[in-house]
Amino acid sequence: MFECKAARKTWTLAPSTFEHQNVPGQDIFSYVQNLCSKSRRNEAELMIMYCWAIWHARNKLIFERKKIEPMLSAAKAESVLEAFQRVRKTGPLHISNTREESQQRWAPPPKNVLKLNVDAATNSKDQKVGLGAVLRDSNGRVVAAGIKQAPLRKDVSFAEAEAIQWGLQIAKDAAAASLIVEIDCKDVAELVNNTKGSRSEIFWIISEIQTQKRDFQRIQFNFVPRFCNAHAHSLAKHALRKDTIAVWLNILPVEVQNVFDSVV
């Protein structure tokens, strides 16, 4: 679970707050019990999911001769945990709301309109932010996607606004004319739609977004739940692991397709 080469590579992709110590001869159940007693709940849950992802990748290799890249294992661990946390947060009402939730899954835009989903993920310890953007057409085909890592300047809302600004540039470069932009930060959606007064610390970036809107014939901004924005969120988390800026048009690299495939 810790000593093989693939496992070590997967653990290097885990959040920097992880401090796991494998005691020789200790079984996995004792390890998990010890982990839960010393860690905060969210940290313990994520480490347990990393253990599961490593175990899953090992079984795939042994029984199916299929190699799963460490980056995909890490993305899978975080995606499965987020799905579990969504269900847990919904609580007893989850079953009765199943139909409503399914109607709020990501839906393709109308014909001749592109949909842009953007998101930001932050790492306060390392003071960095990951931005993710994915542009799709009415058939759900990815027209463009991108990741960007940047310094964490303000709060999460500021980072979400930066994600919109950067995503709009990607959409412009992809020659989008009519555009729907989806974001899972309600405060920023209200600021961009002028339904809420701008706070001083992000006033300038909201102003720049308003200027960018002129690059499109038609554009609208919608607030959506996180599960409607899962691919952009996964890209944002991926950007935290990649100190780079990258944009892909039409054809996605394998590692990015793997990130999309890991979304639950």
Side-chain angles (χ1 to χ4, degrees):
M1 196 66 71
F2 300 98
E3 300 305 321
C4 75
K5 185 177 180 181
R8 290 199 301 269
K9 284 185 177 181
T10 304
W11 283 115
T12 62
L13 298 171
S16 56
T17 54
F18 279 15
E19 295 181 1
H20 59 82
Q21 294 182 346
N22 186 32
V23 179
Q26 184 182 47
D27 63 83
I28 187 63
F29 297 105
S30 298
Y31 169 78
V32 170
Q33 187 176 31
N34 183 57
L35 170 68
C36 292
S37 66
K38 295 182 178 180
S39 304
R40 289 179 297 181
R41 179 173 179 171
N42 61 330
E43 293 175 345
E45 288 178 345
L46 188 53
M47 289 187 72
I48 290 169
M49 290 313 306
Y50 265 78
C51 289
W52 169 81
I54 292 170
W55 171 81
H56 176 73
R58 173 184 176 277
N59 285 351
K60 282 286 186 181
L61 180 62
I62 293 175
F63 298 110
E64 300 181 26
R65 296 292 187 266
K66 294 181 179 179
K67 182 179 179 180
I68 299 179
E69 293 298 324
M71 189 169 293
L72 177 57
S73 292
K76 188 71 173 178
E78 296 178 19
S79 177
V80 170
L81 178 58
E82 288 172 3
F84 165 73
Q85 290 172 336
R86 287 198 303 266
V87 173
R88 183 176 62 192
K89 186 180 297 184
T90 308
L93 296 178
H94 176 68
I95 296 178
S96 62
N97 287 341
T98 299
R99 181 178 179 182
E100 178 182 349
E101 181 175 311
S102 66
Q103 293 174 344
Q104 293 180 353
R105 299 289 183 181
W106 184 88
K111 190 175 181 180
N112 299 321
V113 177
L114 296 180
K115 179 174 284 189
L116 173 69
N117 288 81
V118 298
D119 203 8
T122 60
N123 183 327
S124 56
K125 182 176 181 179
D126 295 335
Q127 288 294 292
K128 60 185 180 181
V129 59
L131 307 180
V134 55
L135 184 68
R136 287 170 283 194
D137 63 16
S138 58
N139 295 315
R141 182 181 66 88
V142 176
V143 176
I147 59 172
K148 178 180 180 180
Q149 189 180 113
L152 178 60
R153 296 183 177 88
K154 298 287 184 180
D155 57 10
V156 175
S157 293
F158 190 93
E160 296 279 3
E162 285 186 304
I164 294 177
Q165 185 184 36
W166 185 63
L168 289 178
Q169 183 59 54
I170 292 176
K172 179 183 177 181
D173 293 343
S178 297
L179 189 66
I180 297 172
V181 182
E182 292 186 337
I183 183 172
D184 58 27
C185 180
K186 188 174 183 179
D187 285 345
V188 175
E190 291 177 344
L191 290 172
V192 174
N193 285 320
N194 296 316
T195 59
K196 181 177 181 179
S198 295
R199 296 175 297 170
S200 59
E201 64 266 25
I202 61 173
F203 174 77
W204 67 270
I205 196 168
I206 295 297
S207 298
E208 291 187 1
I209 291 172
Q210 299 294 350
T211 300
Q212 285 179 287
K213 290 165 63 175
R214 302 170 188 167
D215 295 327
F216 306 94
Q217 295 177 12
R218 292 185 298 165
I219 185 170
Q220 70 181 62
F221 294 85
N222 298 333
F223 163 73
V224 295
R226 169 63 60 79
F227 45 76
C228 294
N229 209 35
H231 287 88
H233 181 67
S234 293
L235 281 179
K237 297 290 286 292
H238 183 62
L240 283 177
R241 306 187 187 101
K242 306 280 287 187
D243 187 10
T244 187
I245 300 175
V247 177
W248 304 279
L249 300 176
N250 297 312
I251 301 177
L252 300 177
V254 173
E255 65 178 90
V256 174
Q257 187 60 57
N258 285 341
V259 170
F260 281 180
D261 291 343
S262 73
V263 173
V264 176

